[in-house]
Amino acid sequence: MPKSPKEHSVPHSPSRLPSPARVRLGVQAAYALFLLYAGWRFFLYVRWAMGESEDFVPKPPSVEGFLPISALIAFKRLLVTGQWDPVHPAGLFIFIAVLAMAVLLRKGFCGYICPVGFVSSLLARLGTRLGIARRTGPRTARLLSLPKYLLLAQFAWISVVSMDVQSIEGFLLSPYNFVADTRMLQFFLAPSNTALTVFAVLGVGSLVLPYFWCRVLCPYGALLSLLARLSPVAVRRDPAACTDCGRCSRACPAALPVQRLERVSSGECVGCTECIGACPVKGCLSVTLPGKRRLPAWSIAAGCVLVLLAAWGVAQALGMWDSPLPQSMARRFHLMLRAGMITH
């Protein structure tokens, strides 16, 4: 029988701290604004590089974070040869930071940093307000997550396993890889009808099934899910204090059965701590380290931001944030792209 909230619950006392949901939304929004600024600066850089403007604007290295496949290939090269990628050095730093983030702080990148996760959270809120969002049970949620692991396996085989060092270096130093971030910008500025249709399907799907892309199709998220299982940080539930109200499970964006778990160790947990914010019993749910040492609910959000800042700081200190390749080379490759000489 469920425990009576009147007998066993201790209501949250008023707090001046924002709720986990507001902390998450604030971090996501702040990072989205930063990406918009970086995107605008990158647009101006591309105009110069393509010969459409004489005003030189330095390329913001942070845009290289949108090249995870290139970074994955460069990461294998680093492990095999010990050589850092000179074409997109910041992208490799960001990639390693995201991997470290998953190991240390669960899928905090998905929960707080990823812009697709931010858009998905807004669509999930809209779907809930419209009354069309549908929750899935834990078994269905596990089945729905299978496609992204299959996509991860395919990308890993094509991009890493089947490529030897010579093939990797051939790709990383190819004209296509030099302008991969520009090709990405062109794709979003002028998407094809097929791309627009896919975006529309994903958007509608996210209204009905919250976080549709993240939970079902994202191979990057699948990789982080595997690493997140190693994380020492997790939400823990105190069974003695729990009233079995189910609010934590309903608040979980990954549809995890939090109310039935003592430790939320699933790789699908994004560390958003919204389950903690939804819990009516103070101290029933908390972020913990091994040994049940408790941390503030905002610690995962703060940790994610600190990991990114640390990666940026190390890269700057080592002089490896900006590409060492001359701008004249970058412009030459961009002019080749403009002339249609770089297609794949």
Side-chain angles (χ1 to χ4, degrees):
M1 292 291 292
K3 301 169 188 174
S4 169
K6 294 182 179 180
E7 296 177 3
H8 297 275
S9 65
V10 179
H12 283 300
S13 59
S15 174
R16 295 181 180 179
L17 295 176
S19 67
R22 289 184 178 274
V23 170
R24 183 187 184 202
L25 186 61
V27 174
Q28 288 177 318
Y31 196 72
L33 290 174
F34 166 75
L35 290 180
L36 287 175
Y37 169 75
W40 172 248
R41 299 284 295 179
F42 183 57
F43 172 76
L44 297 177
Y45 164 80
V46 170
R47 278 181 51 83
W48 169 84
M50 299 281 276
E52 298 172 358
S53 172
E54 292 303 318
D55 298 325
F56 173 72
V57 175
K59 171 187 168 182
S62 54
V63 300
E64 296 175 2
F66 286 89
L67 303 174
I69 295 179
S70 177
L72 178 61
I73 296 173
F75 185 57
K76 178 182 178 179
R77 178 175 181 261
L78 174 65
L79 295 178
V80 174
T81 68
Q83 297 178 341
W84 201 267
D85 178 21
V87 180
H88 300 299
L92 184 51
F93 263 108
I94 294 171
F95 182 74
I96 293 176
V98 172
L99 299 185
M101 200 181 299
V103 173
L104 296 173
L105 300 162
R106 312 208 68 80
K107 289 176 63 178
F109 173 79
C110 301
Y112 294 96
I113 306 299
C114 178
V116 179
F118 177 47
V119 174
S120 295
S121 65
L122 296 179
L123 290 173
R125 292 169 184 266
L126 178 59
T128 300
R129 290 190 177 185
L130 294 175
I132 61 176
R134 295 292 178 266
R135 302 288 301 180
T136 59
R139 182 175 298 179
T140 302
R142 286 194 295 269
L143 290 174
L144 288 173
S145 69
L146 289 178
K148 67 182 180 184
Y149 289 101
L150 295 176
L151 288 171
L152 172 64
Q154 182 181 17
F155 278 117
W157 176 262
I158 295 174
S159 303
V160 179
V161 178
S162 64
M163 295 181 71
D164 56 22
V165 174
Q166 184 176 0
S167 299
I168 288 175
E169 293 185 345
F171 170 80
L172 293 178
L173 299 177
S174 67
Y176 177 88
N177 190 47
F178 271 87
V179 297
D181 41 13
T182 298
R183 291 292 300 271
M184 171 197 65
L185 177 65
Q186 292 176 331
F187 171 79
F188 283 108
L189 289 179
S192 64
N193 290 333
T194 300
L196 290 174
T197 301
V198 171
F199 290 153
V201 170
L202 292 175
V204 173
S206 297
L207 291 173
V208 178
L209 181 65
Y211 302 91
F212 176 73
W213 165 259
C214 308
R215 292 170 56 191
V216 181
L217 296 172
C218 181
Y220 203 3
L223 173 61
L224 300 183
S225 293
L226 297 176
L227 295 175
R229 296 179 182 275
L230 304 174
S231 178
V233 174
V235 171
R236 185 177 291 274
R237 181 180 66 91
D238 181 359
C242 182
T243 64
D244 296 322
C245 66
R247 296 183 188 179
C248 53
S249 297
R250 291 192 294 272
C252 179
L256 296 175
V258 181
Q259 72 187 90
R260 299 206 301 266
L261 303 172
E262 185 169 340
R263 184 179 188 271
V264 185
S265 55
S266 170
E268 299 300 318
C269 174
V270 298
C272 66
T273 68
E274 291 198 21
C275 55
I276 297 178
C279 181
V281 183
K282 183 179 179 180
C284 179
L285 292 173
S286 57
V287 177
T288 62
L289 290 169
K292 301 184 180 181
R293 180 180 177 182
R294 298 192 177 195
L295 297 173
W298 48 262
S299 58
I300 296 180
C304 291
V305 174
L306 288 175
V307 168
L308 281 183
L309 290 177
W312 172 77
V314 171
Q316 289 281 13
L318 296 176
M320 298 171 65
W321 183 248
D322 296 282
S323 175
L325 303 177
Q327 293 295 341
S328 58
M329 179 184 295
R331 193 170 202 187
R332 182 169 70 251
F333 282 123
H334 278 81
L335 293 176
M336 291 172 59
L337 175 64
R338 182 181 180 183
M341 299 171 63
I342 301 176
T343 56
H344 61 275

